[in-house]
Amino acid sequence: MRFLADGPDIPDDLLDARDEGQVIFFCGAGVSQHEAGGPNFHQLAKLVVEDLGSARGSPARQLLDFAKGVQPIAGVGGMMPADRIFGLLEQEFPSIEVRRAVSRAIRPTADAGFGPHRSLIDLSRTPDGIVRLVTTNFDRIFEQAHPGLRTIDPPVLPDPARPGSLDGIIHLHGKVSLDYVAPESAEFVLSSADFGRAYLADGWATDFIRALMDRYRIVFVGYSADDPPVQYLLEALQPTSAPGRLYALQEGEASLAAGLWQHKGVTAIPFSGFQTLWDSLGAWAERARDPDGWRARIAAMATAGPRSLLPHERGQVANLVSSAIGAETFSRHEPAPPAEWVCVFDPYVRYDRVRPVDVWDAASSDFDPFESYGLDSDPPPRRSEDETMIEQREVPKASWSALEAIATDEPGGRAPAVQSVRGPTASHPPALPKRLFRLARWFGRVATDPIAIWWAAGQNALHPDMLKFAQRDVLQDGVDAAVRNAWRCISAALREPPSDAQDPWILQHAVAIEGWSTLSLQRLLEIERPRLVVLRPTTSPISTPEEARTLVYIDVA
């Protein structure tokens, strides 16, 4: 889901995991760059080299000058060895002097802004109010953004397996003092030797992150793929990293962003422009601070109807109805969101063929369902060279649908029926999950809308709860007789015994073996019996009764 039209597309399962307190944000130097004006790891190396006055021909300065001329390689990055530069500086100067220079270089200015830090703190807050955030930054801006937060630094790190142990800002590589004059931690991971000790020799950083991965999803924010912390961390973890557990927000086009992280076992979430990233994280944090309020706002936005919204806004409504609690907010909102949302919820309508707005008016324009109902996450349909062709477009296999059960759906709705291969319960449909039951209830509220009738007339089956809610709500005073009649016809057509393509084949073989009998003649009559058929009009969905000249087509097959 996108919070902004041009923002990163955050996976729905990651949004849900964050709401459940199952996500840990790993924050790098980029977080402190945007508003606080801090340096990235490479800029920090340059500032420290200049501050210490490293000799003109020193190895550290030579490596720094060499790295300036290294052009980024597609799928690899720039690979500036900043940790090696600090290692060389520690050969030229006392280690404490190098670390004091680092402390001075990362001091934020008096007018530094803390917006990204506050957003990430809110995103890291669990449902019970605990903040769980990991940073490899040495600065203390998270504590400045939210005074009073507990801080944890190495080498004594909490055990994620112990309940309540993860509480506060974890400075994985150490931290500086609050006055930015010197390191405050016993461990201060800066040089290549420090990284080797933390991730390889002693391995305390690797052990901690592996324990986190066993229990949480990890999102990297403010890193590039070639940052030394990322290189050491992921190379140490890659043999055991599980797919779908690691994510990274990466600037750039989707395929390039994926190429930088894929071989590291990380799912890239691409974005275009850092301002867009931080604005999107700010909007996500707003949702995290007040999830009920966010759901209510999206449901209110949905009342305007899908045609008036942008694709990413329709995507937000899709995210809302993808959870049981969101479907409850949507289904009970006053006024009810219009029936036209069922066209967004159904991928076979989103990818439906281009339809005429009015078949009786040759001058009327055509209606493209994808333009009015498509989601920002939908791949565009393949266009035909002949725009007048009426064939159904192919629906991509992974297309989102609100109308089928998903893995996170909980049982609910009416009392669940006992399923069996024999007896009376063998022919009973299973109870709808809570989410689908609530959407069926919403559909009943808007069943008098011609678009609801248009959609239902195109279905070959509907769950009994869906029909029950629709029929109950159309049997009200003031409902147009044509609307009631249309629903009677739809209900009658759906109650027709389903035809099975194998029935004639079975009958043919039975006659070949047994000959014609009274029973086989009765079966033939059942197969050939005329059936009521209801079809949707060939026009585009029309929501106003006065414009809907024909609600349904009725025929006998």
Side-chain angles (χ1 to χ4, degrees):
M1 186 192 81
R2 288 181 172 85
F3 288 94
L4 304 175
D6 54 352
D9 187 3
I10 301 169
D12 284 356
D13 58 343
L14 185 60
L15 292 169
D16 293 339
R18 195 232 68 85
D19 293 344
E20 296 165 2
Q22 297 300 311
V23 171
I24 300 289
F25 287 88
F26 265 63
C27 303
V31 176
S32 296
Q33 283 182 265
H34 181 64
E35 289 187 10
N40 62 28
F41 206 60
H42 302 159
Q43 293 167 339
L44 178 62
K46 180 179 179 181
L47 289 172
V48 173
V49 165
E50 298 295 339
D51 183 9
L52 292 173
S54 180
R56 187 176 300 275
S58 70
R61 194 178 286 274
Q62 288 185 57
L63 185 55
L64 181 63
D65 292 340
F66 170 78
K68 292 177 184 177
V70 175
Q71 296 298 318
I73 301 172
V76 179
M79 299 190 305
M80 180 178 178
D83 58 311
R84 296 290 306 279
I85 294 173
F86 287 116
L88 293 171
L89 284 173
E90 289 185 351
Q91 295 176 20
E92 189 177 357
F93 301 94
S95 176
I96 187 59
E97 292 302 322
V98 176
R99 298 180 178 198
R100 286 173 178 166
V102 167
S103 302
R104 294 189 294 270
I106 62 175
R107 183 186 184 96
T109 59
D111 60 348
F114 304 146
H117 295 78
R118 292 193 176 107
S119 294
L120 285 162
I121 289 172
D122 288 336
L123 288 172
S124 299
R125 198 177 301 278
T126 66
D128 54 2
I130 294 174
V131 172
R132 297 172 178 158
L133 185 146
V134 178
T135 180
T136 54
N137 296 343
F138 305 125
D139 63 53
R140 307 297 295 274
I141 301 179
F142 279 110
E143 292 93 303
Q144 291 176 260
H146 196 297
L149 282 177
R150 178 189 177 204
T151 62
I152 305 168
D153 49 277
V156 181
L157 295 174
D159 180 2
R162 284 178 48 208
S165 64
L166 291 176
D167 181 7
I169 306 298
I170 300 169
H171 287 271
L172 185 62
H173 290 173
K175 65 180 187 290
V176 300
S177 58
L178 288 171
D179 57 7
Y180 289 86
V181 297
E184 189 175 276
S185 305
E187 288 284 356
F188 201 74
V189 182
L190 180 66
S191 66
S192 52
D194 297 327
F195 277 101
R197 185 176 63 257
Y199 289 95
L200 301 174
D202 296 341
W204 49 262
T206 303
D207 293 342
F208 173 69
I209 298 167
R210 185 174 289 121
L212 283 181
M213 285 179 56
D214 289 341
R215 293 163 179 81
Y216 302 98
R217 303 188 191 199
I218 294 176
V219 180
F220 296 101
V221 187
Y223 295 97
S224 62
D226 56 344
D227 277 348
V230 171
Q231 296 282 3
Y232 282 96
L233 186 155
L234 294 179
E235 286 179 10
L237 292 176
Q238 192 171 7
T240 60
S241 60
R245 306 292 294 179
L246 303 176
Y247 300 84
L249 288 152
Q250 173 68 47
E251 185 185 29
E253 190 269 333
S255 61
L256 294 178
L260 289 169
W261 291 93
Q262 189 172 19
H263 68 285
K264 302 177 187 292
V266 180
T267 300
I269 304 175
F271 64 90
S272 177
F274 283 95
Q275 185 64 53
T276 299
L277 169 65
W278 301 120
D279 289 346
S280 294
L281 290 183
W284 189 3
E286 182 180 353
R287 176 184 186 266
R289 285 189 289 268
D290 184 12
D292 291 338
W294 183 86
R295 285 189 284 266
R297 285 194 297 274
I298 299 304
M301 179 179 72
T303 60
R307 299 192 201 192
S308 64
L309 302 182
L310 297 172
H312 82 282
E313 293 172 322
R314 294 194 288 266
Q316 292 173 5
V317 177
N319 175 266
L320 177 70
V321 301
S322 292
S323 67
I325 189 171
E328 178 74 1
T329 302
F330 181 87
S331 68
R332 292 193 179 276
H333 191 274
E334 292 290 350
E340 195 167 16
W341 279 105
V342 76
C343 298
V344 177
F345 299 163
D346 186 347
Y348 289 95
V349 176
R350 298 203 305 274
Y351 285 94
D352 196 5
R353 61 181 174 84
V354 175
R355 291 175 174 269
V357 173
D358 189 343
V359 293
W360 296 275
D361 182 2
S364 67
S365 59
D366 288 337
F367 175 78
D368 186 343
F370 190 81
E371 292 179 0
S372 295
Y373 305 139
L375 306 174
D376 56 316
S377 58
D378 281 334
R382 288 185 293 181
R383 304 284 181 176
S384 170
E385 294 181 2
D386 181 4
E387 290 296 331
T388 64
M389 291 181 66
I390 63 172
E391 285 83 359
Q392 174 72 38
R393 292 164 171 167
E394 181 180 354
V395 179
K397 291 182 179 179
S399 295
W400 173 84
S401 170
L403 307 176
E404 277 74 40
I406 55 179
T408 55
D409 277 339
E410 303 173 9
R414 58 186 173 82
V418 178
Q419 294 300 295
S420 172
V421 297
R422 62 187 177 89
T425 61
S427 58
H428 288 183
L432 287 174
K434 288 181 181 178
R435 184 183 66 84
L436 293 180
F437 184 83
R438 291 164 181 174
L439 289 181
R441 185 177 60 202
W442 158 78
F443 186 78
R445 295 180 62 195
V446 296
T448 58
D449 189 316
I451 289 186
I453 298 172
W454 179 93
W455 177 81
Q459 309 307 311
N460 57 17
L462 286 176
H463 194 279
D465 288 347
M466 196 87 157
L467 274 176
K468 177 188 70 175
F469 283 123
Q471 291 175 311
R472 185 187 67 186
D473 282 65
V474 298
L475 293 176
Q476 305 288 337
D477 290 338
V479 175
D480 187 270
V483 169
R484 289 200 301 270
N485 185 61
W487 271 110
R488 286 194 185 99
C489 292
I490 291 171
S491 178
L494 293 178
R495 284 199 303 268
E496 292 278 14
S499 59
D500 191 327
Q502 288 189 332
D503 285 348
W505 180 87
I506 293 174
L507 177 60
Q508 178 183 357
H509 283 264
V511 171
I513 295 173
E514 302 172 351
W516 284 101
S517 67
T518 301
L519 290 177
S520 59
L521 284 171
Q522 289 177 349
R523 187 61 186 139
L524 177 62
L525 289 174
E526 290 174 3
I527 293 172
E528 295 295 338
R529 182 179 65 83
R531 284 172 168 78
L532 178 67
V533 176
V534 172
L535 302 172
R536 64 173 52 149
T538 57
T539 60
S540 64
I542 296 173
S543 59
T544 55
E546 58 272 15
E547 292 181 3
R549 306 189 191 187
T550 303
L551 289 175
V552 291
Y553 289 144
I554 304 171
D555 200 356
V556 175

